[in-house]
Amino acid sequence: MNAPAKPSALLAKDFASDQEVRWCPGCGDYAILKGVQKTLADIGTAPENVVFVSGIGCSSRFPYYMSTYGFHTIHGRAPAFATGIKLANPQLDVWLVTGDGDGLSIGGNHLLHVLRRNVNMQILLFNNEIYGLTKGQYSPTSKQGLRSPSTPMGSLDRPLSPALFALGANATFVARAVDTQQKHMPGVLLRAHAHQGASFVEIYTNCIVYNDGAFASFAEKNTAAEGELVLEQGAPMIFGKDRDKGIRLKRDTLSLEVVQLGVNGITEDDLLRHDETNRVLAGLLAEMRNPDFPVAVGVLYCKAAPAYDTAVHEQIAAARSAKGAADINKLLRGGATWTVGD
Amino acid sequence: MNAPAKPSALLAKDFASDQEVRWCPGCGDYAILKGVQKTLADIGTAPENVVFVSGIGCSSRFPYYMSTYGFHTIHGRAPAFATGIKLANPQLDVWLVTGDGDGLSIGGNHLLHVLRRNVNMQILLFNNEIYGLTKGQYSPTSKQGLRSPSTPMGSLDRPLSPALFALGANATFVARAVDTQQKHMPGVLLRAHAHQGASFVEIYTNCIVYNDGAFASFAEKNTAAEGELVLEQGAPMIFGKDRDKGIRLKRDTLSLEVVQLGVNGITEDDLLRHDETNRVLAGLLAEMRNPDFPVAVGVLYCKAAPAYDTAVHEQIAAARSAKGAADINKLLRGGATWTVGD
Amino acid sequence: MVTSTAIQLEPTGTPREEVESVVVRFAGDSGDGMQLTGSQFTLATALAGNDLATFPDFPAEIRAPIGTTFGVSAFQINFGARKIATAGDAPDVLVAMNPAALKVNLVDVKAGGTVIIDTGTFSDRNLKKAGFGSNPLEDGSLDGYQVVTIDISKLTMEAVKAYGLSNKEALRSKNMWTLGLIYWLYDRDRETTTNWLRGKFAKRPDIADANIAALDAGHIYGETAELPGGMHGYSVLQAEITPGLYRTITGAEALAWGLAAGAKLANLRMVLASYPITPASTLLHILAGMKQFDIVTFQAEDEIAAVCAAIGASFAGSLGVTSSSGPGIALKGEAIGLAIGVELPLIVVNSQRAGPSTGLPTKTEQSDLYQAVFGRNADAPLVVLAASSSANCFDIGIEAVRLATKYMTPVMVLSDGYMGNASEPWLIPDFDSYAPFPVAFADHEQIGAEGYLPYVRDEKTLARPWARPGTPGLQHRIGGIERADGSGNISYDAENHQRMTNLRAAKINGIANDIPLQGVEQGNESGKLAVVGWGSTYGPISRAVGNMRDLDHDVSHIHLRHIWPLPRNLGDLLAGFDQVLVPEMNNGQLVTLLRAQYLVAAEPLNKVNGQPFKIVEIEAAIQSRLDREFGEAK
Amino acid sequence: MVTSTAIQLEPTGTPREEVESVVVRFAGDSGDGMQLTGSQFTLATALAGNDLATFPDFPAEIRAPIGTTFGVSAFQINFGARKIATAGDAPDVLVAMNPAALKVNLVDVKAGGTVIIDTGTFSDRNLKKAGFGSNPLEDGSLDGYQVVTIDISKLTMEAVKAYGLSNKEALRSKNMWTLGLIYWLYDRDRETTTNWLRGKFAKRPDIADANIAALDAGHIYGETAELPGGMHGYSVLQAEITPGLYRTITGAEALAWGLAAGAKLANLRMVLASYPITPASTLLHILAGMKQFDIVTFQAEDEIAAVCAAIGASFAGSLGVTSSSGPGIALKGEAIGLAIGVELPLIVVNSQRAGPSTGLPTKTEQSDLYQAVFGRNADAPLVVLAASSSANCFDIGIEAVRLATKYMTPVMVLSDGYMGNASEPWLIPDFDSYAPFPVAFADHEQIGAEGYLPYVRDEKTLARPWARPGTPGLQHRIGGIERADGSGNISYDAENHQRMTNLRAAKINGIANDIPLQGVEQGNESGKLAVVGWGSTYGPISRAVGNMRDLDHDVSHIHLRHIWPLPRNLGDLLAGFDQVLVPEMNNGQLVTLLRAQYLVAAEPLNKVNGQPFKIVEIEAAIQSRLDREFGEAK
Ligand SMILES: Cc1ncc(C[n+]2csc(CCOP(=O)(O)OP(=O)(O)O)c2C)c(N)n1
Ligand SMILES: Cc1ncc(C[n+]2csc(CCOP(=O)(O)OP(=O)(O)O)c2C)c(N)n1
Ligand code: SF4
Ligand code: SF4
Ligand SMILES: [Mg+2]
Ligand SMILES: [Mg+2]
């Protein structure tokens, strides 16, 4: 494979393609695009080593806007394409962009399997809780009761939690970011990139046309402090405008509660400290929902495990050293043969 | 719909069809067939109200052996067929039979969605950790390293835990049974049947030809007592030949440990009591694996939630009473019309 | 073709020129409400007694940045005093609400046509966004057109000033101002639009009032202002139209209602299982709002789940329907094979769009005929129907239900994005005049010595019985593995497979005896040239053939609605023509079928640029075939 | 056809009758090792210098209950001193290891043929299990056959007594005893089998010894015992075979190796992504064991993931291959459309089986031609190749890689269950004699003024360049929405779509200039009747045509390996024949294609009972066509 000279000091704009961005004005995806371009610049990878792969949806138009290699595939199947790319060339830095419909409706199975196999890539699921591109039908993450063109009397499906789904799929890295939080996002993306294996990042994004304000209770300037818990490894779980609230474990029921610091003698020491290697904790955090709880963002779970694509190529290397150089003529003559004389 | 007279005192054999059972001699599926037939007799449903739906696989031949209505469909899609059946007629008692390949490989997405939607049916996943019908390739539940025709150097995929997957899918009922445990199975199946919504039951079954002994460490006569924890709602978690071992919660790490009753003053009161309404606990139990832990069987999780198919028909009823009797002529004449005169 | 025939006097005394038919295109930014404008104009035109046809052309983007060419939305209407077959080849009048709309649409306008422009939007910034190097109003680009420049933006603002709206809200009435002007231009009544505005903005009467004020202002402007370019009013006489009650209807509506009607005639609950995809989603949306008809709609997790749920519903005794567009239909192929094998009714609606793969989702094409007829593994015949127009979708929907239930077979219905969205006037039928075809489910009488046999066939139709789960004594098991003739049990028997394969084929082929003989739409039953079409090419073919016949050319129009099996007289019919021309919005698919079936030297005429055929294109092709024949005859 | 030609003397002095060719079928319970027996006999026969062909026939069940008819496994071999084209219409010799095997297979045995029966298994219980009302050994059912009854079970037990095996283990050698007897019957050498047993049971020498003892005992029995039914030894002379080094090869092996060879010639890593399905899994299994060839195999979660991963691998610069059988291929249709649109190399192998739907997974059929050529949404042409025999799979594999990489296109390879499993002798080619066709990936030289343009085409092939991610400066983005000619960027432009549709079609059609002209396998280049076949009907057609030509009939055999595009001379070639007959193991698919393409009145000859054509069936069809022609000529 090519080992290109590392370009020095890449800027976010070096990762922007010449294509006009065609999301609706005000769509949350613009902010994610900015965040990703910044992250790539921070990482400093050469654009030619990066591949963006996506399915179909507004979010899945993403690759066209990056100056890297890009493959806008078909609806729901991006994880399989991405897996194929990594199997062909594990050196490539693969980023997968999908939506809540693309990734969890038609593509749920592929997402499940790429996560459990732990193929080395970053998976960004743009969750706007709606089908944007097809004009506003409810999605598997839409809140129950949503009225949409296909559910005029309100949707009846119980929504999936992408993070909980990923944990159930045996994912090794599960994180969350928010379109509006440009300062926070690159940190999460950097962590995802650093992780060996399938790094799953749910990004809340506002579809201004069909589901405006779906995350208003925590994703806006004036609601973030109260509505959100920013996770940090080892740190006590504190949130609130005045940093006066925290999360405590109710040990006997294996559940969480919100407590007020300073009230009833509660101190930081009573609070849960984030341990991103604990899957059970991650599951509890994933289930925190407004208004009873703050929504947890940041790295919910991260646990080292061998990457699938690496292991595949180790087997190939092992076979080559065990069986010797491949020789087609030898292959054809292996096993029982006989000669017919002239 | 038909309201057939309830036949009195049905026997297991009343649920057997006239078709010769064609699994390999010694296959665990025979025992499940017996267990299911017995359960149906215990329930006392009329066979004509019961529909067995399956995908493709050895396990999926199941419907042919039942005297009920049966639909042997295509690989992986049984949950969708079953959903359609319930949407057409919620009164039918639908049982879905699938395998670890059928249900979790090609069919993972449909299983995910039928669980999250909570469509009222019983889902029996026959887990033999192998593809039986196609002659022994590894499956998504196969242990890592399994050598199979498609993985001659050992499989690299990290296996799924069906129960954990179901919990991640927001399932409302998750249970486990074992082919060899004929006494235990009907109880679990009765519970599954009683639950309103999608009841997921993983049944460990031995593929004697391609994966013999996969569950030997807990599913055999001489290993069950030590290898297995039989869950009962509210009961302390005790197991072992001498009922001298138990499961205790390590509160600070949110994890479980095996303890010896009587040692270090440990008594029954120190043990966890099963609470099947606690999803976090269910997740912990689902992850217990031999040899460090006993395998939990019985009802891991059960929580009431409205069934999807019922809710769908409630909307229809509501629309009918709100909009009045359907009249095609009125429909065609709704909105702006005009008359062209002679 | 606008043909001036007479000069009438306006009430005000201004002369109104009488024309036989007109093509108007409204074009503006996605946010300018051009589709609404178009549909209001359509309704008013229908009420005025003209025949008409429309072509809505949406941008591919959900909401492209304002002012860009890819954000342009257009609506074309052709209306007249005679039978109207298509939305028209080229607009006589283009309304361009901004530079981008002008940029994209000017090329299509007929030479010498009228171009009405809102100069209020022709800022430098907007010109640049639209990709104009210089201002087309000044650089001579518009030479050769009748140009009418009006600052519609400003005039609208003035008209609605009284209602205290924000600038943005006020400007939203621009389309109504424009509509008012066009209403004046063609002497349409404003009342329905006024009423519609009152209903739509019931909760915001200020907005309703503002829109009505704008509408009136546009109209008054026409009446009173001295129009630039010497524009004057026209009148279009009423067309000769079959008397009766009419409405406008889109293909998607007609199909939804046709399926509902069919289910009613079959006395079945309908279960529509679908997954959203452009342009098929509309059918799901419409049926989702028809729950009072005992219609269950299910947005499945994907297209495979959708078709499987529909088959499950049919197994359970309902009418299973699924709908999608090309790529989604491709995903359903395996399951459709199962429905063919287990012989259950199933309706699969394909709203075709341009491909391959994702292709051009918002552009029309009719390139899924191969997929419909051949697109499955193994020998897997089914019924294929194709609607020929928006309104025809209603009858095709009913026919699909009839055949699916009578023959226990999947039926594929081919529609397309154009037909689905385009509306046309429809003489509303009396539903009571449709003969019911209630399904006779199997009952205990079908239980014989060997029990109930789900694969014993009706001798005439070759259909197997349909037993509804829940019926005592009829328990049976079916599946995708070959089924024994009679019992339906798994059978690996070689001769049984041969027999069942033959039976499946014979059942579908036999349907040819239960569908109408193929007729000729226009022209003789034999002759020099047959133009054979299917689907939404009906309009342009019929007008082109009509025009050519008016010029005394020997050409006939044959239009297929039954694609598989083909009508049993079709081979003989085609044999009566010297030449057969098959225009299709694909690279040649029906033509393959006809050549293979009848060894007739049918020739393709293909167009795959996402646009319907123009009449002139087909006229030219007809001419060239006829010329060639004369050439040979020399 | 066994034709006695001379009497030879055995070493022992017994006469050995010389025959030209023989058909032997081994049949027994799944557990009886009939496939192993068959393949050992095949090898010994090849070493003896005969030509041969085989037909393994597996039961559908994994492991049906012992003794049932649905658990019967059979292996047929046709071998001779002349060219052998098929596994033979009807066995001369049937070896029936139990009543069920007799029950299932007797019907096929040639009248007067030999039936060798292990009477040790003919217990009442087994007879009942096999569904015999009375004992066929006694009730006259076998009248008309040469019946050789031997208690093979007992003789085997005796032969292996010395090795102290359990009864069950001992009885497992029955097949070797039988093989020994048949080796004697046809004068085959036991050495390779002895060596093979030693290798196979290297860890259980006692079992190896027992099997060898059984093999020897069977042989000695033949030499010494006075055989029932007057059976005596035969000899089959060596066939005239091209000199060289040979091996036996199944279609699955040949295809796996052909693909590996092709990848090597293209200088590419291969990524095979597949999902298990009968009978396609074998290819996955074989390639999974070839990692040393830099072959990545991936068992995906389903067929869709498999094809998508393969396309992903091609995007990344490897050779993406996916394989399945009919129902799985149906699932891949949507993604194949993407590969067609983005124009990446992809090989899709379809090991066809009987359908529709799940159908008869273990039975053969060639009914996926429609799906291959037409089975996708929209105008989506690709290359379709069909192997004509097990050995031909090797060259077809290489050709698939050549065309996929040279033309940047998906190639569908049609094989079938029969071909995949059947082995035939193969003159091993010298791989060094194959011309390499290394892929020239795009490099910085392709960067022009507008940057790198992934859709600028090679003028001759119309292929676009292939740029490997990781290459600096060639970053580009492609996808399923229509791509602008040149840049590949999303384009909604109408004329661009028309142009790209035309280019895609022209590229595939142009391949007709890069494939061999269609030749005639046997017979003249024009004449009264052409029999046109494709795929694994090669054997029976070639023998049937050969036989009819031997009888001086004017009939030719044409066999297609390139199904799409068709060879450019095919139309002219077919036009030279009065009649064209197309035998297919389907309900008539290639025949549709030929009729549509060339307006030739080709007629179908269909067989869909899961079994290959018999030679006599094709002979009869040829005769009837020739008769008819004479009839017309009168
Ligand atoms: C096979 C197939 N089915 C359906 C579609 C239509 N489709 C395109 S995007 C989409 C859903 C998009 O939702 P999401 O993934 O949430 O993306 P968003 O637009 O919200 O970013 C659907 C249903 C398609 N293109 N292909
Ligand atoms: C579309 C499709 N793909 C693949 C297959 C082949 N196939 C049949 S069953 C099966 C896997 C069976 O495994 P599992 O579900 O675990 O069932 P088991 O046989 O082990 O009971 C596969 C791959 C098929 N029939 N259809
Ligand atoms: S529809 Fe929604 S998600 Fe799509 S671009 Fe517009 S705002 Fe964004
Ligand atoms: S292969 Fe395995 S799972 Fe299938 S029937 Fe045999 S023992 Fe059972
Ligand atoms: Mg979304
Ligand atoms: Mg299994």
Side-chain angles (χ1 to χ4, degrees), chain A residues 22-24 27-29 58 128 132-133 206-210, chain C residues 62:
Chain A
R22 293 199 180 180
W23 289 307
C24 304
C27 175
D29 295 359
C58 294
N128 54 11
L133 189 66
N206 190 42
C207 171
I208 198 169
V209 176
Y210 296 113
Chain C
I62 305 284

Side-chain angles (χ1 to χ4, degrees), chain B residues 50-115:
Chain B
V50 180
V51 181
F52 274 81
V53 184
S54 65
I56 302 283
C58 293
S59 33
S60 289
R61 293 288 172 91
F62 200 95
Y64 289 109
Y65 308 139
M66 300 293 299
S67 69
T68 64
Y69 284 89
F71 200 176
H72 179 228
T73 68
I74 48 178
H75 197 32
R77 320 297 176 185
F81 288 95
T83 299
I85 292 171
K86 291 296 286 188
L87 288 175
N89 183 357
Q91 265 71 53
L92 294 171
D93 185 7
V94 172
W95 296 71
L96 188 157
V97 175
T98 182
D100 44 319
D102 189 66
L104 290 172
S105 194
I106 189 168
N109 201 36
H110 308 299
L111 193 50
L112 173 73
H113 287 276
V114 78
L115 291 174

Side-chain angles (χ1 to χ4, degrees), chain B residues 4 21-22 127 138 146 207 285 321:
Chain B
V21 185
R22 293 198 178 181
N127 185 5
Y138 80 115
L146 186 82
C207 172
L285 294 171
S321 68

Side-chain angles (χ1 to χ4, degrees), chain C residues 81 143 155 256 271 323 375 410 423 489 495 519 544:
Chain C
D143 295 356
L155 292 172
V271 177
S323 73
S423 64
N489 289 329
E495 293 319 318

